[in-house]
Amino acid sequence: MPLNIDLQQILLHWMNLAILVGGLYFILFKPVKAFMEKREAYYQDRDRQAEEKLADAERIRAEYQARLDAAAEEIRQSRAKAQQAAQQSAEEQLSQARAQAQQMLVHARTEAEHDREQILRSSQRELRRLAAAATRKLAMEQDPFDQFLDLAEEGAQHEER
């Protein structure tokens, strides 16, 4: 044979290669491939479980956020009711104070009117008494011209002294 090629040797080497590849396929490749598929399935399962847990955590967070929002709304409503009640109470107290002030004003006006009437009656009595006293004095006293002359004489005597 030319180039020293032995066909039988080449076929034997091809057969050895095929046996080696087949043996390696069944001994190494198949178990390694099965191991890798099992490992990939394990990690996909773990990934799926992690996603489920993340989704559960997100759902729980959303529930708690909804509860917090509801609690915040309830607090806001409670504050609004308390503020409204306080404002209503303040308005009631203010209206009571105004009513009381009105009553005090009416009472003060009544007392002032009563005092005014008493003062008027008292001053009228005093004026009558003074007028009667003045009338009595005028009736008992001498003539005003005589009084003037007496006073003038007294004044002249004072100047002489």
Side-chain angles (χ1 to χ4, degrees):
M1 292 244 140
L3 293 172
N4 214 6
I5 298 177
D6 187 10
L7 211 49
Q8 188 180 14
Q9 284 290 325
I10 290 177
L11 284 172
L12 277 176
H13 281 298
W14 274 103
M15 199 174 302
N16 277 340
L17 182 64
I19 291 171
L20 180 64
V21 168
L24 287 177
Y25 177 78
F26 287 109
I27 293 173
L28 291 176
F29 185 72
K30 225 176 173 184
V32 168
K33 188 175 178 184
F35 172 77
M36 293 299 286
E37 287 174 355
K38 192 166 119 187
R39 184 174 176 196
E40 186 178 337
Y42 171 76
Y43 281 112
Q44 284 179 354
D45 186 49
R46 296 271 307 214
D47 189 38
R48 183 187 51 78
Q49 287 176 357
E51 286 177 2
E52 287 175 0
K53 287 182 180 178
L54 185 62
D56 285 345
E58 185 64 30
R59 181 185 49 82
I60 290 170
R61 187 196 66 77
E63 286 177 12
Y64 282 123
Q65 186 63 40
R67 286 182 185 175
L68 284 173
D69 291 344
E73 180 64 23
E74 187 176 328
I75 289 170
R76 187 192 63 76
Q77 288 176 356
S78 295
R79 282 185 182 165
K81 285 180 183 177
Q83 189 175 18
Q84 187 179 16
Q87 187 175 2
Q88 187 177 10
S89 175
E91 288 174 3
E92 287 175 4
Q93 288 178 354
L94 184 61
S95 67
Q96 287 175 356
R98 284 182 180 154
Q100 192 175 19
Q102 189 67 27
Q103 288 175 349
M104 291 171 70
L105 185 62
V106 167
H107 181 66
R109 283 183 181 158
T110 305
E111 282 187 16
E113 186 64 32
H114 183 266
D115 289 347
R116 182 178 159 272
E117 289 174 6
Q118 281 184 338
I119 289 171
L120 279 175
R121 278 189 237 121
S122 172
S123 63
Q124 286 174 351
R125 274 187 252 134
E126 186 67 24
L127 282 175
R128 281 189 220 122
R129 189 185 62 77
L130 286 174
T135 304
R136 269 185 260 125
K137 217 178 198 186
L138 283 175
M140 290 185 184
E141 288 186 11
Q142 33 176 299
D143 186 22
F145 185 72
D146 289 338
Q147 284 180 346
F148 173 73
L149 291 176
D150 289 342
L151 284 174
E153 285 178 12
E154 284 178 19
Q157 290 174 0
H158 271 303
E159 285 179 16
E160 289 176 9
R161 287 189 205 161

